[in-house]
Amino acid sequence: MLIAFLGMMTIHAQKVKASNNKPNVIVILMDDMGYADTKPYGSVGYETPNFDKLANEGMRFTHFYAAQAVCTASRAALLTGCYPTRLGVGFALAPWDKTALNPKEETIASVLKNEGYVTGMLGKWHLGSKAPFLPTHYGFDTFYGIPYSHDYWPVDYKGNPVPKGTPNDWRGNCPVLPIYEGDTQVGTIPTLEEASQLTTTLTEKAEQFITKNKNKPFFLYLAHPLPHVPLAVSSKFKGKSGAGLYGDVISEIDWSIGEIMKTLKKNGIDKNTLLIVTSDNGPWLSYGNHGGSTGGLREGKGTAWDGGTRVPCYISWPGKIAPGSVSNQLMTNMDILPTIVAATKAHLPKEKIDGLDFLPLLTGKTNKSPRDLFYVYYDLNNLKVIRYKTWELVLPHNSQAYSQALPGKDGTPGKVPHVNVPMALYDLIHDPGTIQDVQSQYPEVVEEIMKYAELAREDMGDALTKRIGKNNRQPAKMQ
């Protein structure tokens, strides 16, 4: 009996040791942070010392893309490794919308939970506004945060109340912004003053989660609601950046990154943690000085142009990823799930995904991306742009055009014209701002990329050409 008992204890100890050797995973997602909003990507006017430190300790990608330039779609892609149009998810879901990410879809959280990970989410969800379509039904053990963007509330962008029934202002019909813990509403955020505590509160809760679970493998998804408008910053950073309110907000987010890195080091788990930091899409340019910077990339959030989809991405894993490394290879937020799966030796979702494993590139076994093709859908399933190697083929479509009007200022948005966009081919090596259409010089490139367009239309459909995809899945519908 004693021998059998000792044998069982040995097996248990081996399992615990194997579990403890699994890397922790943290994904930190900003909301509407532009490509050039941090110093390693070219920001000016304020400092980002912790983003600098993160870049020095790991790898940053200069051609990393969000699957779509809008909140809900981008977050669905990140968590599932799929094109949002494959999942039937798009736009930015409002509190009254009935669509949600289907709980049958496997997420990073559910995949890692099956491997014994403790899983937690903090911040903005935006994939379903009420139970049972909140994070704890998608693989997360715990959730604290808000169900959607913090501009879905009866408050304007300057902090003034918007009474119910206010003409020409949809915000008057919004409920007070709720805070959830699990499926239970535990509070509200009624004012900008309350919203100004979001970054600090979420950071503190992230530190608590890390410390509590330091002896177990864990996955933490921290989705900061800022720097999405309306901007709000705590008194610790208000007026301190020297670059206005937007600079103050980014400075506080930079502080948050630093606090999490310090907590990992303090608990002795920094070298066993894969840390990924990125943004859901590019900046909301119509808000002018309350929006971020694309660094010269064309247009911004809500468009299929690079200013809307190309975002910063930092990935750190001490001892595994070379410090201070930079990759100019094409990667998307759909590739995060399979890369995490490879790093943790987990199992891929059973259903088809579109992400690819970047672990060999991250760990220096290759410097070549496994991806050379990326379809940019928008408006749920309009195929608007195809990135192929160093080329970008723009298909005819209608688009917002921030560049055609003056931006807003101090929280008031500017008008955003819509324009019809003709087909064009851009050479990103020589024209990163996508200004010169060279399709007449490279008809063979256009012909080659159009073959991929047909494959996408057959696979996932394309409303612009009235095509129905063969391999799309259905979202959930809330009552």
Side-chain angles (χ1 to χ4, degrees), residues 252-266:
E252 186 160 26
I253 289 171
D254 180 81
W255 164 82
S256 173
I257 298 296
E259 291 302 294
I260 289 168
M261 293 172 72
K262 287 177 189 174
T263 302
L264 291 172
K265 193 172 188 64
K266 179 181 176 182

Side-chain angles (χ1 to χ4, degrees), residues 383-443:
L383 180 59
K384 294 187 171 185
V385 173
I386 299 174
R387 168 73 189 265
Y388 178 62
K389 297 182 179 178
T390 60
W391 300 95
E392 204 157 83
L393 181 66
V394 176
L395 301 169
H397 67 273
N398 187 269
S399 176
Q400 295 182 77
Y402 299 104
S403 57
Q404 301 300 306
L406 283 173
K409 185 181 178 185
D410 298 339
T412 300
K415 292 183 178 180
V416 186
H418 282 69
V419 299
N420 289 321
V421 179
M423 178 179 279
L425 178 71
Y426 298 100
D427 173 4
L428 297 181
I429 293 177
H430 302 102
D431 181 22
T434 56
I435 298 170
Q436 297 177 316
D437 175 14
V438 295
Q439 62 176 316
S440 63
Q441 293 179 309
Y442 299 96

Side-chain angles (χ1 to χ4, degrees), residues 155 244 473:
V155 180
R473 306 197 285 268

Side-chain angles (χ1 to χ4, degrees), residues 77-360:
L78 168 67
L79 287 175
T80 67
C82 296
Y83 280 106
T85 194
R86 187 179 300 286
L87 309 177
V89 175
F91 305 109
L93 295 176
W96 48 83
D97 282 327
K98 300 301 183 184
T99 299
L101 179 66
N102 197 320
K104 294 180 181 178
E105 300 293 345
E106 293 181 77
T107 67
I108 298 172
S110 59
V111 166
L112 292 184
K113 187 173 181 178
N114 288 338
E115 299 294 323
Y117 276 68
V118 178
T119 59
M121 185 190 166
L122 297 165
K124 172 182 152 181
W125 173 238
H126 218 168
L127 292 172
S129 60
K130 60 184 179 180
F133 304 102
L134 293 173
T136 53
H137 301 271
Y138 296 82
F140 290 99
D141 295 319
T142 58
F143 167 60
Y144 177 90
I146 57 178
Y148 36 73
S149 301
H150 69 288
D151 62 338
Y152 286 114
W153 62 342
V155 180
D156 69 19
Y157 291 117
K158 294 189 177 181
N160 303 308
V162 179
K164 189 174 182 62
T166 299
N168 302 317
D169 199 327
W170 54 268
R171 288 169 298 195
N173 297 317
C174 289
V176 177
L177 184 65
I179 304 173
Y180 279 89
E181 191 158 355
D183 285 348
T184 304
Q185 184 176 331
V186 295
T188 60
I189 301 176
T191 66
L192 271 180
E193 180 59 32
E194 294 286 335
S196 73
Q197 301 306 308
L198 275 169
T199 301
T200 294
T201 299
L202 295 172
T203 302
E204 290 173 348
K205 288 186 175 293
E207 293 176 86
Q208 292 163 10
F209 179 91
I210 292 167
T211 301
K212 178 181 178 182
N213 297 295
K214 63 183 178 182
N215 294 321
K216 313 166 190 173
F218 64 77
F219 167 55
L220 173 62
Y221 173 42
L222 169 57
H224 277 300
L226 291 155
H228 190 297
V229 291
L231 298 181
V233 69
S234 72
S235 58
K236 300 191 300 294
F237 291 90
K238 193 170 185 178
K240 302 291 177 62
S241 71
L245 184 54
Y246 195 85
D248 297 344
V249 170
I250 296 296
S251 294
E252 186 160 26
I253 289 171
D254 180 81
W255 164 82
S256 173
I257 298 296
E259 291 302 294
I260 289 168
M261 293 172 72
K262 287 177 189 174
T263 302
L264 291 172
K265 193 172 188 64
K266 179 181 176 182
N267 286 288
I269 55 175
D270 53 317
K271 290 188 169 85
N272 194 40
T273 300
L274 174 60
L275 174 60
I276 301 169
V277 179
T278 186
S279 178
D280 66 342
N281 48 246
W284 208 345
L285 296 179
S286 58
Y287 284 88
N289 64 340
H290 277 209
S293 170
T294 68
L297 300 174
R298 189 166 174 175
E299 300 297 353
K301 170 181 175 171
T303 76
W305 297 102
D306 271 24
T309 53
R310 202 193 301 186
V311 292
C313 179
Y314 301 85
I315 305 182
S316 170
W317 191 3
K320 303 287 187 181
I321 298 174
S325 51
V326 179
S327 175
N328 63 0
Q329 297 294 293
L330 172 61
M331 185 181 182
T332 77
N333 67 352
M334 296 179 289
D335 303 317
I336 287 176
L337 182 149
T339 301
I340 289 173
V341 164
T344 59
K345 296 181 172 57
H347 299 281
L348 287 169
K350 296 179 183 65
E351 295 282 353
K352 175 182 174 64
I353 68 168
D354 301 292
L356 300 171
D357 173 15
F358 273 70
L359 189 63

Side-chain angles (χ1 to χ4, degrees), residues 359-370:
L359 189 63
L361 188 149
L362 290 173
T363 55
K365 293 180 180 178
T366 180
N367 60 5
K368 179 72 173 68
S369 170

